[in-house]
Amino acid sequence: MAKVIDQQTDDKIHHGRREKLRASFKRYGLETFNETQVLEYALGVAIPRIDTNPTAHRLMDAFGSLDGVISASAEKLVSIPGVGEQAASFLHFLKQFTIYMADVDRKDTIIKSSSDARAMLVDLMQKYGHECFVVLCLDRKGKVILHDKIHGDIDKVEIDVRKIADMAMRVNTASILFAHNHLTGTPNPSDADMDLTRLIVNVLTPLGIDVMDHIVFAEDKHYSFFGQGIIDIFKREHNAFVQSQDYKDVF
């Protein structure tokens, strides 16, 4: 039979564990922590005066990893015993914070090619647990001068190309690159992806903004519109239209 511990003794044990984690973090940072301990320590910030070790284990069992926990929706998080709205909100903040800091670290990145962009974005795009459309505006030297995100499924959410054009012109963009993620596991572009990319080329090219690429990420795979020659096809189509009589009749 398990030994029964009174609440006062139990609180002392829990308090001691929290202090040990805090002391270890102060001395070594997170180097000596496993994922469950990292989660336990983080929960201790959001849930004061309560033992967060059991909750951390329940979360890890439910979502498989630390990234799985902080990527989970608030509805799923609060379904785990010990997790309230405050803790769920804090865990969601941690996910957004890691993405935000990754964006900050990329501000001085120089992108000279589509492969440079792919190397920069691959880790970031894998972290998103939702459909996300990313816009990178570059100056003439290839430096990232604006990194913006549009949430939503391209097949279901209208991407406002006019707003993208206004944004690009506002920061004096020389070239622009787009990326989005598929949660289906395959990066093959949909008809909507094709139509959107063609529209972007047709809108931005007359403004003197070069469309470098549109990259679709899915898990560890990707599809590059530039690499597949699609961007060049759309540019040739646009140039042919501009030189056609139909274009001259309109303008």
Side-chain angles (χ1 to χ4, degrees):
M1 180 180 295
K3 183 179 179 180
V4 177
I5 302 177
D6 63 81
Q7 186 61 48
Q8 184 176 2
T9 303
D10 192 46
D11 289 343
K12 290 181 179 179
I13 294 174
H14 295 165
H15 178 75
R17 178 177 179 81
R18 188 182 292 247
E19 287 302 317
K20 287 180 180 178
L21 283 176
R22 186 178 292 114
S24 180
F25 175 75
K26 184 177 181 180
R27 184 171 183 179
Y28 303 109
L30 295 177
E31 292 182 10
T32 62
F33 283 40
N34 59 38
E35 288 197 357
T36 304
Q37 289 171 324
V38 171
L39 181 56
E40 179 183 353
Y41 187 82
L43 287 170
V45 177
I47 312 174
R49 298 182 300 279
I50 296 177
D51 178 25
T52 56
N53 179 265
T55 303
H57 278 283
R58 283 192 290 267
L59 284 166
M60 293 293 287
D61 289 342
F63 301 107
S65 67
L66 180 58
D67 186 64
V69 172
I70 64 176
S71 298
S73 66
E75 292 78 13
K76 290 182 178 180
L77 288 172
V78 296
S79 70
I80 305 300
V83 181
E85 291 185 5
Q86 181 175 336
S89 178
F90 181 70
L91 291 172
H92 182 67
F93 162 76
L94 291 180
K95 179 68 173 184
Q96 296 303 311
F97 182 75
T98 59
I99 294 173
Y100 180 85
M101 290 307 300
D103 290 348
V104 170
D105 290 341
R106 290 172 170 83
K107 288 295 185 182
D108 294 327
T109 301
I110 300 296
I111 295 177
K112 292 293 188 181
S113 66
S114 177
S115 59
D116 289 342
R118 185 172 68 252
M120 167 188 166
L121 290 170
V122 60
D123 290 338
L124 179 65
M125 297 302 292
Q126 289 179 352
K127 292 182 183 297
Y128 290 121
H130 53 270
E131 297 277 354
C132 192
F133 187 77
V134 171
V135 181
L136 295 181
C137 294
L138 314 176
D139 66 13
R140 297 191 181 280
K141 294 182 179 180
K143 182 179 178 180
V144 178
I145 53 179
L146 183 63
H147 183 177
D148 202 4
K149 296 181 290 293
I150 301 173
H151 300 283
D153 186 343
I154 290 176
D155 291 312
K156 299 176 182 177
V157 177
E158 180 180 354
I159 303 298
D160 194 331
V161 178
R162 176 174 293 183
K163 286 185 178 180
I164 292 175
D166 290 342
M167 174 182 66
M169 293 180 67
R170 186 177 70 249
V171 297
N172 196 27
T173 302
S175 59
I176 197 165
L177 185 140
F178 304 91
H180 80 277
N181 59 334
H182 283 178
L183 303 182
T184 58
T186 173
N188 296 335
S190 65
D191 291 342
D193 296 337
M194 287 287 186
D195 292 342
L196 176 63
T197 307
R198 179 185 286 109
L199 177 60
I200 287 172
V201 170
N202 286 336
V203 170
L204 297 185
T205 298
L207 301 177
I209 300 172
D210 179 58
V211 179
M212 181 181 291
D213 200 358
H214 181 181
I215 306 174
V216 184
F217 291 89
E219 298 178 351
D220 59 346
K221 300 178 287 293
H222 75 278
Y223 180 98
S224 165
F225 277 73
F226 173 80
Q228 296 296 322
I230 305 300
I231 290 290
D232 286 339
I233 290 175
F234 289 162
K235 288 179 179 179
R236 288 197 297 269
E237 287 179 354
H238 175 79
N239 291 335
F241 173 68
V242 168
Q243 296 171 13
S244 70
Q245 188 61 47
D246 289 339
Y247 178 84
K248 294 176 182 178
D249 288 344
V250 173
F251 296 97

